[in-house]
Short mmCIF file of all heavy atoms in Angstrom, two decimals:
data_model
loop_
_atom_site.label_atom_id
_atom_site.label_comp_id
_atom_site.label_asym_id
_atom_site.label_seq_id
_atom_site.Cartn_x
_atom_site.Cartn_y
_atom_site.Cartn_z
N ALA Y 211 91.34 -21.11 -53.38
CA ALA Y 211 92.50 -20.86 -54.24
C ALA Y 211 92.28 -21.43 -55.64
O ALA Y 211 92.62 -20.80 -56.65
CB ALA Y 211 93.74 -21.46 -53.60
N LYS Y 212 91.69 -22.64 -55.71
CA LYS Y 212 91.44 -23.26 -57.01
C LYS Y 212 90.40 -22.48 -57.81
O LYS Y 212 90.54 -22.28 -59.02
CB LYS Y 212 91.00 -24.71 -56.82
CG LYS Y 212 92.10 -25.61 -56.28
CD LYS Y 212 91.59 -27.04 -56.09
CE LYS Y 212 92.72 -27.95 -55.61
NZ LYS Y 212 92.24 -29.35 -55.40
N ILE Y 213 89.34 -22.03 -57.13
CA ILE Y 213 88.29 -21.27 -57.82
C ILE Y 213 88.85 -19.93 -58.30
O ILE Y 213 88.58 -19.48 -59.42
CB ILE Y 213 87.09 -21.08 -56.89
CG1 ILE Y 213 86.37 -22.42 -56.69
CG2 ILE Y 213 86.13 -20.03 -57.44
CD1 ILE Y 213 85.28 -22.39 -55.65
N ALA Y 214 89.65 -19.28 -57.44
CA ALA Y 214 90.25 -18.00 -57.86
C ALA Y 214 91.16 -18.20 -59.06
O ALA Y 214 91.20 -17.36 -59.97
CB ALA Y 214 91.02 -17.39 -56.69
N TYR Y 215 91.88 -19.32 -59.07
CA TYR Y 215 92.76 -19.58 -60.21
C TYR Y 215 91.95 -19.76 -61.49
O TYR Y 215 92.30 -19.22 -62.55
CB TYR Y 215 93.60 -20.83 -59.94
CG TYR Y 215 94.44 -21.25 -61.14
CD1 TYR Y 215 95.54 -20.50 -61.53
CD2 TYR Y 215 94.10 -22.38 -61.87
CE1 TYR Y 215 96.30 -20.87 -62.63
CE2 TYR Y 215 94.85 -22.76 -62.97
CZ TYR Y 215 95.95 -22.00 -63.35
OH TYR Y 215 96.69 -22.37 -64.44
N ARG Y 216 90.85 -20.54 -61.42
CA ARG Y 216 90.01 -20.72 -62.61
C ARG Y 216 89.41 -19.40 -63.07
O ARG Y 216 89.33 -19.14 -64.27
CB ARG Y 216 88.90 -21.74 -62.33
CG ARG Y 216 89.40 -23.17 -62.22
CD ARG Y 216 88.25 -24.15 -62.41
NE ARG Y 216 87.27 -24.06 -61.34
CZ ARG Y 216 87.27 -24.82 -60.25
NH1 ARG Y 216 88.23 -25.72 -60.08
NH2 ARG Y 216 86.34 -24.68 -59.34
N MET Y 217 89.00 -18.57 -62.13
CA MET Y 217 88.45 -17.28 -62.50
C MET Y 217 89.52 -16.38 -63.11
O MET Y 217 89.22 -15.58 -64.01
CB MET Y 217 87.83 -16.60 -61.28
CG MET Y 217 86.60 -17.34 -60.73
SD MET Y 217 85.99 -16.66 -59.16
CE MET Y 217 85.39 -15.05 -59.68
N SER Y 218 90.74 -16.51 -62.65
CA SER Y 218 91.81 -15.67 -63.20
C SER Y 218 92.12 -16.00 -64.65
O SER Y 218 92.58 -15.15 -65.40
CB SER Y 218 93.08 -15.83 -62.35
OG SER Y 218 93.70 -17.07 -62.61
N ARG Y 219 91.86 -17.25 -65.06
CA ARG Y 219 92.12 -17.64 -66.44
C ARG Y 219 91.02 -17.17 -67.38
O ARG Y 219 91.24 -17.07 -68.58
CB ARG Y 219 92.26 -19.16 -66.54
CG ARG Y 219 93.19 -19.80 -65.54
CD ARG Y 219 94.56 -19.18 -65.54
NE ARG Y 219 95.34 -19.54 -66.73
CZ ARG Y 219 96.59 -19.16 -66.94
NH1 ARG Y 219 97.19 -18.38 -66.04
NH2 ARG Y 219 97.23 -19.53 -68.03
N GLY Y 220 89.82 -16.93 -66.81
CA GLY Y 220 88.72 -16.43 -67.62
C GLY Y 220 88.11 -17.50 -68.49
O GLY Y 220 88.57 -18.65 -68.53
N VAL Y 221 87.04 -17.14 -69.18
CA VAL Y 221 86.36 -18.09 -70.05
C VAL Y 221 87.01 -18.16 -71.42
O VAL Y 221 86.82 -19.13 -72.16
CB VAL Y 221 84.87 -17.70 -70.21
CG1 VAL Y 221 84.15 -17.86 -68.89
CG2 VAL Y 221 84.72 -16.28 -70.72
N ASP Y 222 87.75 -17.13 -71.79
CA ASP Y 222 88.42 -17.11 -73.08
C ASP Y 222 89.82 -17.68 -72.93
O ASP Y 222 90.62 -17.17 -72.15
CB ASP Y 222 88.49 -15.69 -73.64
CG ASP Y 222 87.10 -15.08 -73.82
OD1 ASP Y 222 86.20 -15.84 -74.20
OD2 ASP Y 222 86.95 -13.87 -73.57
N LYS Y 223 90.11 -18.72 -73.72
CA LYS Y 223 91.42 -19.38 -73.58
C LYS Y 223 92.57 -18.45 -73.92
O LYS Y 223 93.66 -18.57 -73.40
CB LYS Y 223 91.44 -20.61 -74.49
CG LYS Y 223 90.49 -21.71 -74.04
CD LYS Y 223 90.65 -22.95 -74.91
CE LYS Y 223 89.70 -24.05 -74.41
NZ LYS Y 223 89.81 -25.28 -75.25
N GLY Y 224 92.34 -17.50 -74.83
CA GLY Y 224 93.43 -16.62 -75.22
C GLY Y 224 93.58 -15.40 -74.34
O GLY Y 224 94.51 -14.62 -74.53
N ALA Y 225 92.67 -15.22 -73.37
CA ALA Y 225 92.72 -14.02 -72.53
C ALA Y 225 93.89 -14.10 -71.57
O ALA Y 225 94.24 -15.17 -71.07
CB ALA Y 225 91.41 -13.87 -71.76
N PRO Y 226 94.54 -12.96 -71.28
CA PRO Y 226 95.67 -12.97 -70.34
C PRO Y 226 95.20 -13.25 -68.92
O PRO Y 226 94.10 -12.85 -68.52
CB PRO Y 226 96.24 -11.56 -70.47
CG PRO Y 226 95.10 -10.72 -70.95
CD PRO Y 226 94.29 -11.62 -71.83
N ALA Y 227 96.02 -13.96 -68.16
CA ALA Y 227 95.66 -14.30 -66.79
C ALA Y 227 95.73 -13.07 -65.90
O ALA Y 227 96.66 -12.26 -66.01
CB ALA Y 227 96.59 -15.39 -66.27
N ARG Y 228 94.74 -12.95 -65.03
CA ARG Y 228 94.74 -11.83 -64.08
C ARG Y 228 95.50 -12.22 -62.82
O ARG Y 228 95.62 -13.40 -62.48
CB ARG Y 228 93.31 -11.45 -63.73
CG ARG Y 228 92.55 -10.83 -64.88
CD ARG Y 228 91.15 -10.44 -64.45
NE ARG Y 228 90.31 -11.60 -64.20
CZ ARG Y 228 89.13 -11.53 -63.59
NH1 ARG Y 228 88.69 -10.37 -63.14
NH2 ARG Y 228 88.41 -12.61 -63.42
N ARG Y 229 96.00 -11.21 -62.14
CA ARG Y 229 96.74 -11.46 -60.91
C ARG Y 229 95.79 -11.81 -59.77
O ARG Y 229 94.63 -11.38 -59.74
CB ARG Y 229 97.57 -10.23 -60.53
CG ARG Y 229 98.74 -9.97 -61.46
CD ARG Y 229 99.59 -8.79 -61.01
NE ARG Y 229 98.84 -7.56 -60.98
CZ ARG Y 229 98.51 -6.92 -59.86
NH1 ARG Y 229 98.85 -7.39 -58.70
NH2 ARG Y 229 97.83 -5.78 -59.93
N ILE Y 230 96.29 -12.60 -58.81
CA ILE Y 230 95.55 -12.96 -57.60
C ILE Y 230 96.31 -12.43 -56.40
O ILE Y 230 97.51 -12.64 -56.27
CB ILE Y 230 95.38 -14.48 -57.47
CG1 ILE Y 230 94.61 -15.05 -58.67
CG2 ILE Y 230 94.65 -14.83 -56.17
CD1 ILE Y 230 94.52 -16.55 -58.67
N VAL Y 231 95.60 -11.75 -55.52
CA VAL Y 231 96.18 -11.26 -54.27
C VAL Y 231 95.54 -12.03 -53.13
O VAL Y 231 94.31 -12.17 -53.07
CB VAL Y 231 95.91 -9.75 -54.09
CG1 VAL Y 231 96.35 -9.29 -52.70
CG2 VAL Y 231 96.66 -8.96 -55.15
#
Side-chain angles (χ1 to χ4, degrees):
K212 292 180 177 179
I213 290 172
Y215 174 72
R216 288 199 295 266
M217 294 173 68
S218 74
R219 311 306 287 182
V221 294
D222 300 323
K223 293 184 178 179
R228 291 182 291 168
R229 290 183 298 111
I230 300 175
V231 172

